[in-house]
Amino acid sequence: MYKKWKGSFTIEASFIMPLVIFLYLLIILTALFLYCRCAISQDTFLLAMRGERFTQGEEHYGEVIYGLQDEEFWQPQKYIEDRIERRKEFHPFFPAELGSCIISQDAVLVQIRQRGSNNFIKKEAQKWNPVLMIRKWRREQNV
């Protein structure tokens, strides 16, 4: 049998196999990055939702347990930032680096930057009080 090209399989494989292994590692690292980004995004959204639920009891709705507690402990911004710091340990490959919480009258914005990315993961939760919403709806129905 006549061959068009002369060569040895072992020499050709020594050039191709490192390339194939590098591509596999690239795919695995990309999958880990995306997994950590999704987990951080989910944590950010849950923290925004928890921060949105915090009240000091003035509206008779919220996540604060009523009783004699130190007021500093129940500040939503401090609570969220503490949780951001604690969650950094749970994403070992591409953890969260910077995190902040901005609370306004209408919404809670939580943003976290992941290592390896320059963009912030931002989640915003609107402040809704279902008790007031139901009362308003009932007033409108009775009119």
Side-chain angles (χ1 to χ4, degrees):
M1 177 185 269
Y2 179 73
K3 295 182 181 180
K4 288 186 180 179
W5 297 292
K6 291 184 179 183
S8 176
F9 180 73
T10 56
I11 293 175
E12 293 167 359
S14 68
F15 291 118
I16 293 174
M17 283 309 292
L19 248 149
V20 170
I21 292 172
F22 174 75
L23 289 175
Y24 280 142
L25 288 175
L26 184 66
I27 290 170
I28 290 171
L29 284 176
T30 304
L32 284 174
F33 179 79
L34 290 175
Y35 169 75
C36 287
R37 186 161 183 90
C38 289
I40 290 171
S41 179
Q42 178 184 5
D43 290 343
T44 305
F45 182 71
L46 289 174
L47 283 174
M49 280 182 44
R50 287 180 187 161
E52 173 263 329
R53 301 273 181 197
F54 268 82
T55 65
Q56 296 299 326
E58 66 272 2
E59 298 174 356
H60 305 291
Y61 176 76
E63 293 289 330
V64 172
I65 299 171
Y66 301 106
L68 299 174
Q69 291 288 340
D70 185 16
E71 289 182 11
E72 278 298 312
F73 182 75
W74 293 114
Q75 296 300 319
Q77 189 163 359
K78 184 178 182 324
Y79 170 83
I80 292 172
E81 289 173 357
D82 287 346
R83 293 304 184 269
I84 289 171
E85 286 297 319
R86 192 187 287 174
R87 291 299 295 174
K88 286 181 182 179
E89 303 167 4
F90 295 104
H91 308 291
F93 296 106
F94 298 100
E97 285 184 335
L98 296 173
S100 65
C101 172
I102 302 168
I103 299 176
S104 66
Q105 291 293 101
D106 300 331
V108 175
L109 174 69
V110 178
Q111 53 187 8
I112 297 176
R113 191 176 77 195
Q114 182 183 12
R115 187 175 69 193
S117 176
N118 292 331
N119 299 329
F120 279 93
I121 301 170
K122 298 179 183 179
K123 297 296 175 184
E124 184 176 16
Q126 297 293 321
K127 286 188 175 182
W128 300 105
N129 186 339
V131 174
L132 293 178
M133 292 170 67
I134 291 170
R135 286 180 185 165
K136 181 180 174 185
W137 179 78
R138 285 182 179 170
R139 271 189 238 122
E140 290 173 358
Q141 295 298 318
N142 290 334
V143 173

